[in-house]
Amino acid sequence: MARKKKQTPQPEEDVDEEEAPAMEPADSDGASSSSGDDDGDDSSEEEYDSAAEHEHDDDDRSADDDDPQVSDDYYDDDDDEFEEQGSSDDDEDDRAERQGSIDDDDDDDDDEEVEILDEIDVDAPRAWPAMGKTKRGADGRGKEKEAGATIESGQREQRNNDKMIGEGGASSSSAADVAKWMHADDLSSDDEDGDGAGNRIGRVPLHWYDDHEHIGYDAHGDKVIKSSSANKDLLDRALDAEDRLENNKGNKFTVHDALNAKDVELTPRQIELVRRLQSGAYAHPEHDAHPDYVDYYSGVDPMKSGLNSDRYEKKSRFQPSKWEKLQVRRLLHRLKCGSISMDFLEGKVRDMNDLVKRGEGEDDTDRPFALWKGDEEDELALRKGPQHMPAPKVPPPGHAYSYNPPEEYLPNEEELREWAELDPEDRPHGHFVPQKFANLRSVGAYEHSVKERFERCLDLYLCPRAMKRRLNIDPESLVPRLPRASDLRPFPTTRCVRYVVPNRKEHVVVRCLTVSPDGQFLASGDEDGVVRLWEVQTGRLLRSWNLMEAVDIGEEKKNEKGEEEDDASDDDKSKTKPIASLEWNPSRSHHVLLAAVGKCAVVISTGTGGPDESEVTDALLSSALSCKNGGGNISSESRAAKAVSWTSLKKRKFESSSDAPVSAFGGRSGPVRRDVASVKWHRKGDYFVTVSPKAGAAAVLIHQLSKASSQQPFGKNKGGEAQLACFHPRKPFLFVATKEHIKVYHLVKQAMVKRLMSGCRHISSLDVHGSGDHVVAGGLDRRLAWFDLDLSSAPYKTLRYHEKAIRSVGFHPRYPLMASASDDGTVHVFHATVYSDLMRNPLIVPVKVLRAHTVTSGLGALGAVFHPTQPWLFSGGADGNIHLFQDL
């Protein structure tokens, strides 16, 4: 049972009328215990005792000691003015004793505070009625435990509204007031400081301003000056609070704002919120902790049950159903095909089989049908059995079959006589002769109609027919899609530099070109046997070597030795011989040129390197310079001793003073009997190969410059005359090209590895890609063959873009570019990308056609070579010009 509350006697003369509401404990309805009937007293008494059962006197005292304190005087003087929810009977006795011990001197202060609290009680009640313990009945509503312990929700709301009405009789809406008080403290920091006078330093530590007179800056940038109480400690502040209480200055509830360095007096509402938080109640006194119970019940109809009644409708409720759309489409399709009818859709017929059975006995012969509907062929094509082949249709009649044809379709007498002599199959219109009638009624019956019908039926009967499916393919779809040329840059596009020999009136055919490994110098070989050295950037002619004088020196030394002369033609005995081939040493430290002229291969030291590179070049040529007339370091028993001899060219005076003499560090090597057509260096710059097509077994010779020795790899000439030869860039392979084939030899194993079938009638140029897996060859029959050594011996691609014979082909050493020069005066530039992935084929795209030279005596562009480091192209032709094309 609940304990009865103790009643402490209170002298009536010590209590004022104004203090009576604050001193009396409030009941569950928010009214004082003195006003109301007996039932209200019993209810509040019971609720109060039930709350007190769960607390102990000792615990209440210890809880009060542990609660945070706002001020030192809070528990001394104000416990009699504010109600604590859930307090025990001993707290009520202590409160009554403290109220009775108030001195007469403090009556005026207490009167002022009671008036403040009364104003708070008018606008915001501090206590709300507690809900009684109820049980649900059969109808779902709450069932009171005791008849007098609970008040109906309507009466309780009415009393709460009466409580909200002030003593002056002013009335206001309870809902609006509660909403106002509920949101009274929902303010942000910026709203509390509307004028911007507060400190705005954020998270800056305050101890940084200990030595300054200000504590920070406000929103306007002004200093926030510290107040006098900023430097006081807690003891000084407690003494100041006592002084204010004794002198009645300000509010006794004062806290220190460390951020703004000032003291802030708490308002009565803030004090009330602190008190409620300490007592464990809700902070806002307007909060309804025990709302009325809403009776929900489940049911089929959501409008009656109340569940999900406030939910928004789904978006799909306002959009057409896709499933219904699909069903309607299917029904329309079946209706169009005839599998269902409108009677089936309207529900008149439950099954379509009933209609089929009903219509079997009816006769359809009297029904109308379309005579020329043209569905017979479709029905025959869909039937079972052998495939139906429709007869070819008769071509529609033309203007000649009109009853009033134009005049040009009417034959004259001469044409009628010619038609009469011809067979009907050879006549323009067969048996029919165009005629002109005044009107359609004048047209008579066609006399050959039955004959023509019979002949057509006879053709359909006797002529065999076969069904052929015609492929409707767009021709453009068969052409591979190539990338745009602008996406494949860089490549040479514009002519920038022209190299011209000064003081030369007549043009001389430029046979071959070569570039130094560093890209600074360009060498050209002309028709008159002169090798010229150019500067790439400026186009200036640096030096010239007349190799015809070197050839004459070699011939003189051979004649002195007494060597036999072979039969030679008049052309061989002529003094002027062209530079057939010219190659720069691929090593950057060896500044050496190799030129093929006549029967000799001349090694020229260019002198373009520095002191260190000149020493390396001299060391390379030292063995060749020491050669005497004996023929170099060639064994007398070897096959090469009969085919080649090495001769050193010493410094001497040449007759032509205009041309610079051949360098003293030069040497000459080559077949004795026949002219040299091609020379190629090995990638290391020590070995080179020479090709003499008319030399038989000694057509291909391999020479070593550092030892002045030569080798003849082949003992017999098989498979035709060798035209070109070059080394593999990575492996010990040698490529030898005949007129129609390209043979690949392994120099270490001394065996042929592969034989490539070019398909060309006469191979004129050959080059190997830097990867070593691709070879390109150009022929005099305008064919450009690309070989992939990993695929097959047949060409991977055969390109025919030139109009005349191809004279030169080559790859760029760094960029994915390839060029071909032809006698039509053009140089074609290709984008040639070779992928490291073996599963991908090379990409070959023509990107530019350079109109480089004019055709002279049937010859055009004879040489084309790429710059070693830039996407530039040099070209030389029969017109005597040398051009540099750059990517602009």
Side-chain angles (χ1 to χ4, degrees):
M1 295 179 63
R3 292 178 298 174
K4 296 296 183 178
K5 183 176 66 172
K6 297 179 181 180
Q7 300 294 338
T8 304
Q10 185 74 13
E12 296 180 359
E13 61 273 14
D14 296 338
V15 181
D16 296 336
E17 294 179 358
E18 296 178 356
E19 296 178 357
M23 295 171 59
E24 294 174 358
D27 58 1
S28 60
D29 295 335
S32 61
S33 60
S34 60
S35 62
D37 51 3
D38 297 337
D39 297 338
D41 295 340
D42 297 339
S43 175
S44 62
E45 187 174 330
E46 180 182 357
E47 292 176 1
Y48 189 88
D49 295 339
S50 63
E53 286 180 348
H54 300 83
E55 299 180 0
H56 302 283
D57 298 338
D58 298 337
D59 297 339
D60 294 337
R61 177 59 59 187
S62 61
D64 295 337
D65 296 337
D66 297 335
D67 291 337
Q69 297 181 1
V70 180
S71 177
D72 297 339
D73 300 331
Y74 180 76
Y75 293 104
D76 296 339
D77 298 333
D78 287 351
D79 289 343
D80 55 335
E81 298 175 4
F82 297 95
E83 169 196 21
E84 264 183 40
Q85 294 184 358
S87 60
S88 63
D89 298 338
D90 296 337
D91 295 338
E92 290 292 335
D93 298 340
D94 296 340
R95 186 186 302 111
E97 293 175 0
R98 284 196 299 272
Q99 291 176 356
S101 61
I102 297 176
D103 297 334
D104 297 336
D105 297 337
D106 298 336
D107 292 341
D108 298 335
D109 298 337
D110 296 339
D111 295 341
E112 295 176 0
E113 295 173 1
V114 171
E115 290 178 359
I116 295 174
L117 294 179
D118 290 341
E119 293 177 2
I120 297 175
D121 290 337
V122 169
D123 294 337
R126 293 176 296 154
W128 292 87
M131 294 294 295
K133 297 181 179 180
T134 61
K135 294 184 179 180
R136 292 188 179 182
D139 55 352
R141 297 185 176 272
K143 183 178 180 182
E144 287 77 1
K145 185 176 180 181
E146 294 180 6
T150 310
I151 305 174
E152 293 294 334
S153 60
Q155 297 177 0
R156 182 167 59 249
E157 184 178 358
Q158 182 64 29
R159 278 196 293 272
N160 291 338
N161 295 336
D162 296 341
K163 176 63 180 174
M164 298 295 293
I165 303 175
E167 293 180 358
S171 62
S172 61
S173 177
S174 61
D177 293 339
V178 171
K180 179 181 69 175
W181 285 107
M182 287 293 289
H183 299 282
D185 300 304
D186 189 12
L187 299 175
S188 63
S189 59
D190 296 337
D191 295 335
E192 294 176 357
D193 186 17
D195 54 353
N199 196 355
R200 298 295 180 90
I201 62 174
R203 294 186 177 181
V204 176
L206 295 178
H207 64 82
W208 290 3
Y209 295 92
D210 291 345
D211 299 335
H212 300 276
E213 61 180 0
H214 63 284
I215 194 64
Y217 300 90
D218 56 7
H220 306 290
D222 300 332
K223 294 182 179 180
V224 179
I225 306 300
K226 297 179 181 179
S227 62
S228 59
S229 62
N231 298 325
K232 295 181 179 180
D233 54 4
L234 296 178
L235 182 59
D236 295 338
R237 294 174 186 171
L239 295 176
D240 292 343
E242 292 292 341
D243 294 341
R244 285 196 300 271
L245 291 177
E246 294 177 359
N247 301 328
N248 296 329
K249 294 181 179 180
N251 192 354
K252 57 184 176 181
F253 295 101
T254 304
V255 295
H256 181 69
D257 186 4
L259 180 63
N260 297 302
K262 63 180 181 179
D263 295 335
V264 179
E265 295 182 359
L266 298 181
T267 61
R269 177 171 178 80
Q270 294 174 348
I271 297 173
E272 173 67 13
L273 294 178
V274 173
R275 187 194 67 79
R276 293 181 65 87
L277 289 174
Q278 289 179 345
S279 62
Y282 290 98
H284 291 278
E286 301 82 15
H287 178 72
D288 187 7
H290 305 284
D292 295 338
Y293 177 76
V294 180
D295 295 331
Y296 288 105
Y297 65 93
S298 59
V300 179
D301 191 358
M303 300 302 295
K304 293 181 180 181
S305 64
L307 298 176
N308 301 328
S309 60
D310 57 344
R311 293 181 61 183
Y312 289 100
E313 293 290 343
K314 295 182 179 179
K315 185 179 179 181
S316 58
R317 294 286 299 275
F318 303 97
Q319 292 182 345
S321 176
K322 296 182 179 179
W323 174 253
E324 294 178 357
K325 182 180 179 181
L326 179 61
Q327 295 297 326
V328 171
R329 185 182 301 174
R330 290 179 178 177
L331 292 175
L332 289 177
H333 177 71
R334 294 180 62 186
L335 184 63
K336 184 178 180 181
C337 296
S339 59
I340 61 175
S341 62
M342 289 301 299
D343 295 340
F344 177 78
L345 295 177
E346 295 175 357
K348 298 178 180 180
V349 180
R350 297 184 60 182
D351 192 358
M352 288 299 299
N353 295 327
D354 299 341
L355 292 178
V356 175
K357 295 179 180 179
R358 188 182 307 173
E360 288 179 355
E362 299 180 1
D363 189 7
D364 297 337
T365 55
D366 297 336
R367 292 184 180 181
F369 62 93
L371 181 62
W372 305 104
K373 62 179 181 178
D375 296 339
E376 296 84 359
E377 298 294 338
D378 299 337
E379 294 176 359
L380 293 174
L382 295 176
R383 71 178 182 179
K384 297 181 179 180
Q387 184 179 6
H388 171 71
M389 289 182 292
K393 297 182 180 180
V394 179
H399 295 287
Y401 293 90
S402 174
Y403 72 95
N404 188 15
E407 296 295 335
E408 59 267 18
Y409 289 96
L410 296 176
N412 51 25
E413 296 181 358
E414 184 178 356
E415 292 177 350
L416 290 175
R417 288 195 298 268
E418 292 178 358
W419 290 0
E421 296 177 358
L422 297 176
D423 295 334
E425 293 80 4
D426 299 334
R427 297 176 186 177
H429 307 290
H431 295 282
F432 178 76
V433 177
Q435 297 179 7
K436 191 171 184 179
F437 298 92
N439 47 44
L440 188 58
R441 292 176 296 180
S442 303
V443 179
Y446 181 48
E447 56 180 346
H448 301 287
S449 60
V450 177
K451 186 176 182 180
E452 288 182 356
R453 288 296 103 187
F454 174 75
E455 291 178 355
R456 173 170 172 78
C457 293
L458 193 62
D459 294 339
L460 295 177
Y461 171 69
L462 296 178
C463 296
R465 299 192 302 273
M467 179 65 69
K468 292 184 179 180
R469 297 186 179 274
R470 181 177 298 177
L471 298 177
N472 189 10
I473 300 176
D474 186 10
E476 296 182 358
S477 63
L478 301 177
V479 180
R481 293 184 179 180
L482 300 178
R484 295 182 299 178
S486 58
D487 299 337
L488 302 177
R489 286 183 175 271
F491 54 84
T493 57
T494 308
R495 183 186 308 171
C496 297
V497 183
R498 179 184 177 189
Y499 302 90
V500 181
V501 178
N503 301 326
R504 188 174 68 176
K505 298 182 180 180
E506 297 181 356
H507 68 275
V508 179
V509 178
V510 179
R511 286 282 182 179
C512 48
L513 298 172
T514 183
V515 188
S516 62
D518 55 2
Q520 297 182 3
F521 304 100
L522 171 69
S524 62
D526 297 345
E527 185 77 17
D528 55 357
V530 179
V531 176
R532 292 180 173 86
L533 183 65
W534 309 83
E535 190 176 8
V536 172
Q537 297 292 341
T538 60
R540 183 167 60 96
L541 179 62
L542 300 180
R543 297 188 65 179
S544 298
W545 295 278
N546 188 357
L547 299 187
M548 290 304 301
E549 300 179 6
V551 173
D552 295 340
I553 294 173
E555 294 295 336
E556 292 176 0
K557 292 186 177 181
K558 286 194 299 180
N559 294 335
E560 291 176 0
K561 190 178 180 181
E563 296 181 356
E564 297 180 357
E565 293 288 340
D566 294 340
D567 296 337
S569 61
D570 297 338
D571 296 338
D572 297 334
K573 295 179 180 180
S574 60
K575 295 183 179 181
T576 303
K577 294 184 179 181
I579 305 296
S581 180
L582 184 65
E583 287 290 329
W584 204 297
N585 195 306
S587 178
R588 288 178 174 266
S589 59
H590 299 160
H591 292 264
V592 174
L593 278 173
L594 179 62
V597 51
K599 299 180 180 180
C600 300
V602 183
V603 181
I604 306 172
S605 178
T606 60
T608 55
D612 297 338
E613 296 175 351
S614 299
E615 293 180 1
V616 176
T617 304
D618 295 345
L620 179 67
L621 300 177
S622 59
S623 299
L625 290 174
S626 62
C627 293
K628 298 180 180 179
N629 297 334
N633 301 326
I634 304 176
S635 176
S636 59
E637 299 178 357
S638 63
R639 292 176 295 186
K642 301 179 181 180
V644 63
S645 63
W646 288 72
T647 304
S648 175
L649 303 178
K650 303 296 182 181
K651 247 183 179 181
R652 52 172 295 178
K653 295 182 180 180
F654 291 88
E655 298 178 357
S656 57
S657 59
S658 60
D659 295 336
V662 176
S663 174
F665 306 107
R668 179 184 66 86
S669 65
V672 177
R673 302 177 184 274
R674 300 296 178 184
D675 292 343
V676 180
S678 174
V679 292
K680 282 286 184 180
W681 285 99
H682 190 263
R683 61 182 179 86
K684 293 185 178 180
D686 189 12
Y687 290 89
F688 63 92
V689 60
T690 60
V691 179
S692 300
K694 303 294 184 180
V700 180
L701 298 176
I702 299 176
H703 313 275
Q704 187 177 4
L705 184 58
S706 61
K707 296 182 179 180
S709 62
S710 302
Q711 300 177 7
Q712 182 180 340
F714 306 107
K716 296 181 180 180
N717 184 14
K718 295 182 180 181
E721 298 178 355
Q723 303 293 326
L724 301 168
C726 61
F727 292 98
H728 193 280
R730 298 182 180 180
K731 299 179 181 180
F733 290 167
L734 179 65
F735 296 87
V736 179
T738 62
K739 290 185 178 181
E740 297 180 356
H741 307 92
I742 300 175
K743 301 177 182 179
V744 185
Y745 294 95
H746 198 293
L747 297 179
V748 178
K749 297 180 180 180
Q750 299 181 0
M752 187 175 67
V753 177
K754 185 176 289 188
R755 184 177 183 179
L756 305 178
M757 311 296 293
S758 66
C760 301
R761 296 181 180 178
H762 194 289
I763 297 177
S764 60
S765 55
L766 179 68
D767 195 12
V768 184
H769 192 266
S771 63
D773 296 334
H774 302 270
V775 179
V776 63
L780 298 180
D781 55 351
R782 304 178 299 167
R783 291 187 180 184
L784 179 63
W786 179 298
F787 294 94
D788 190 346
L789 300 181
D790 295 332
L791 292 180
S792 65
S793 59
Y796 165 68
K797 291 285 185 181
T798 301
L799 308 178
R800 296 183 182 181
Y801 291 104
H802 291 283
E803 299 178 357
K804 293 185 178 181
I806 296 177
R807 294 293 180 176
S808 175
V809 294
F811 289 103
H812 196 286
R814 179 174 297 181
Y815 291 91
L817 296 175
M818 182 185 68
S820 61
S822 174
D823 283 340
D824 56 3
T826 61
V827 177
H828 288 207
V829 181
F830 300 86
H831 176 86
T833 302
V834 176
Y835 301 98
S836 58
D837 186 5
L838 299 179
M839 300 302 295
R840 299 183 64 180
N841 295 326
L843 177 63
I844 307 172
V845 181
V847 292
K848 188 65 178 178
V849 177
L850 303 176
R851 307 290 177 180
H853 305 277
T854 58
V855 179
T856 304
S857 300
L859 301 177
L862 300 180
V865 62
F866 282 104
H867 193 276
T869 59
Q870 299 293 334
W872 299 349
L873 179 69
F874 300 91
S875 67
D879 55 356
N881 295 325
I882 303 174
H883 300 290
L884 170 60
F885 295 89
Q886 297 182 358
D887 56 327
L888 300 180

